[in-house]
Amino acid sequence: MKGHTDEPEPPAPGSAARTARWIVGLVALVVLAWSYPFAVGAAAVLAGVLFMHEFGHFAAARAVGMKVTDFFLGFGPRLWSFRRGETSFGLRALPLGAYVRIIGMSRSEPVEPGDESRAYRTQTYPRRLLVVCAGSLMHLCLALVAFGVVHAALGAPTRDGNNWQVAEVVKQRDGVTFPADAAGIEAGDRIVKLNGAATEEWDVFVSQVQSRPGERVALEIERDGVLRTVEAELATDPGTGSGLLGVRPEWVIVYETVGLPTAVVQALVDLGRSIVDSVRGIWGLFANFGDVVDRIVSPPGDPSANSNLGMRPLGVYGIVDLASDTSWGWSERALMFALVNVFLGVFNMLPLPPFDGGHVAVATYERWRERGGRGRYLIDPSKLAPLATVVVAALALLAVGLLYLDIANPVDL
């Protein structure tokens, strides 16, 4: 029996260093949140998406009886963790993703004899398929919820017929000074009449301006719900002789909500449409890989980098930059969140290691080799390691290239 002592127990090995890392990390997080609030918020959303992806794998594995030993956000040195039951949960130092460890994912992994019946490799084909597809299914569920929230609560952005408003006032171009700025026209204004004639349709307005080169015209403008009249002397296009004002249009957007049952139906329609679009986009990425490379290596400010935006890939930086645009509302951001989740869910099912689709391909091939009652067949994971290394290296290069493209030639919608 030990005697009583007032001397404090020595700290656990490494506890001081761990505490220091936490303090440094919290200080850095506060500084970043103060300086770049939207970027930190986007990082938190991304962490949440990664968590939900792995939670899908975790929940599915537990549901079918597999043993899960780890559920961590990040990689590298462990920062913080706790154990509940047979699973350790926590955070690691490198915020580059998340992972769930299920025992027996390959035939070479050692497993305790008492746990072999709960290993991934001993499960039936449908159970293995459910577990490896659960991450992508979680992405689709997140997208479905986001689509539903847009239609039921935030309002789906819809063009208000042919109504338009001023997106940008152009002061000068090709040596011609435009009168819109001098007349006091601002972005967001709606020009509803020209000399008393309605101009709600853009084509009508353009034809009216072009037919009056050099004339002084009266423009009725709606700004913040208030009508006012300004005058401007239209410039003349030196090439065509037509009139010029100097405004760039954008369509007026209204936000329409519907009842919950209709919102659910519309969300399902949006989900199906976006899955098809993601498949087409991924196919286009590979089919037009040369065009993608040309865009990535384009010099800063090159207009060809953003031509045909349907074929313009976006990286994480580009997505965050778009979503941080002050002209975007929560409806547009929720739609972006939904579309990104759909793309991640579809992209993750590519039949290549280390994607979840690679596990699907392996499980399917193993099931095919077992046909006719031939017994359990397991692929040697070492044979797939070179392919996985090439895929990871290609993804890393693509990520770096897209980061450069998003910074050098940002997309402006």
Side-chain angles (χ1 to χ4, degrees):
M1 180 177 179
K2 293 184 178 179
H4 174 72
T5 176
D6 291 331
E7 295 181 4
E9 294 184 3
S15 60
R18 189 178 302 111
T19 301
R21 288 197 298 266
W22 268 104
I23 293 174
V24 171
L26 287 174
V27 170
L29 185 61
V30 170
V31 172
L32 285 171
W34 182 268
S35 304
Y36 307 100
F38 193 88
V40 172
V45 170
L46 179 60
V49 169
L50 294 174
F51 172 84
M52 293 304 294
H53 176 101
E54 296 303 328
F55 180 76
H57 291 307
F58 171 79
R62 292 291 295 269
V64 299
M66 297 183 192
K67 183 175 181 179
V68 183
T69 59
D70 293 319
F71 189 160
F72 277 82
L73 282 175
F75 298 94
R78 183 180 304 196
L79 295 177
W80 169 81
S81 67
F82 67 93
R83 188 173 184 85
R84 178 163 295 176
E86 61 190 14
T87 307
S88 294
F89 303 84
L91 298 173
R92 293 186 179 271
L94 301 177
L96 301 177
Y99 74 94
V100 164
R101 182 178 179 272
I102 304 170
I103 65 170
M105 285 294 293
S106 69
R107 74 178 188 181
S108 60
E109 180 185 341
V111 173
E112 294 292 333
D115 289 334
E116 185 63 35
S117 63
R118 302 182 62 197
Y120 171 86
R121 64 192 176 210
T122 62
Q123 305 301 310
T124 63
Y125 174 67
R127 290 187 175 187
R128 284 180 287 164
L129 215 58
L130 172 63
V131 170
V132 295
C133 291
S136 287
L137 290 174
M138 184 60 73
H139 284 302
L140 299 184
C141 288
L142 291 174
L144 184 63
V145 170
F147 281 132
V149 169
V150 167
H151 288 290
L154 299 176
T158 307
R159 234 175 75 171
D160 184 16
N162 291 320
N163 291 335
W164 63 279
Q165 65 187 24
V166 177
E168 179 186 4
V169 176
V170 182
K171 296 182 180 180
Q172 192 175 44
R173 188 178 62 202
D174 299 331
V176 178
T177 300
F178 299 116
D181 181 61
I185 299 173
E186 300 177 0
D189 288 349
R190 293 186 62 192
I191 302 176
V192 296
K193 289 183 180 180
L194 187 152
N195 287 347
T199 58
E200 291 182 349
E201 294 190 14
W202 172 249
D203 292 341
V204 173
F205 174 71
V206 170
S207 64
Q208 289 181 358
V209 169
Q210 289 180 341
S211 64
R212 293 176 170 84
E215 290 186 21
R216 191 165 189 82
V217 296
L219 301 168
E220 189 170 331
I221 295 173
E222 180 183 340
R223 181 184 300 168
D224 299 326
V226 178
L227 292 175
R228 66 188 69 192
T229 300
V230 300
E231 291 188 350
E233 185 175 329
L234 299 180
T236 302
D237 188 328
T240 63
S242 58
L244 296 172
L245 178 62
V247 295
R248 186 171 64 84
E250 63 183 3
W251 302 115
V252 175
I253 302 297
V254 294
Y255 297 87
E256 299 177 350
T257 58
V258 295
L260 186 58
T262 304
V264 171
V265 173
Q266 189 58 55
L268 289 169
V269 172
D270 289 345
L271 181 64
R273 184 184 297 118
S274 55
I275 289 174
V276 173
D277 290 342
S278 293
V279 172
R280 288 174 176 168
I282 294 171
W283 172 254
L285 180 67
F286 290 102
N288 301 279
F289 191 71
D291 177 67
V292 173
V293 172
D294 288 340
R295 293 170 188 262
I296 289 176
V297 300
S298 59
D302 186 353
S304 66
N306 291 328
S307 62
N308 185 11
L309 288 178
M311 292 304 301
R312 164 61 157 92
L314 278 175
V316 175
Y317 182 92
I319 293 171
V320 173
D321 185 51
L322 273 181
S324 63
D325 190 329
T326 56
S327 66
W328 278 34
W330 288 109
S331 182
E332 287 84 359
R333 289 175 180 140
L335 287 173
M336 173 69 84
F337 174 82
L339 294 174
V340 168
N341 269 283
V342 172
F343 182 83
L344 289 175
V346 174
F347 193 78
N348 192 52
M349 294 311 295
L350 288 175
L352 296 169
F355 297 123
D356 290 340
H359 290 293
V360 172
V362 168
T364 302
Y365 177 72
E366 290 174 341
R367 181 68 184 88
W368 180 76
R369 290 293 298 266
E370 294 165 3
R371 70 192 188 283
R374 298 179 184 178
R376 177 53 58 91
Y377 177 85
L378 297 174
I379 288 180
D380 182 357
S382 64
K383 296 181 178 180
L384 297 175
L387 177 58
T389 301
V390 171
V391 172
V392 170
L395 285 175
L397 289 174
L398 180 61
V400 172
L402 291 181
L403 176 62
Y404 164 78
L405 179 60
D406 290 338
I407 294 175
N409 293 291
V411 173
D412 182 18
L413 296 182

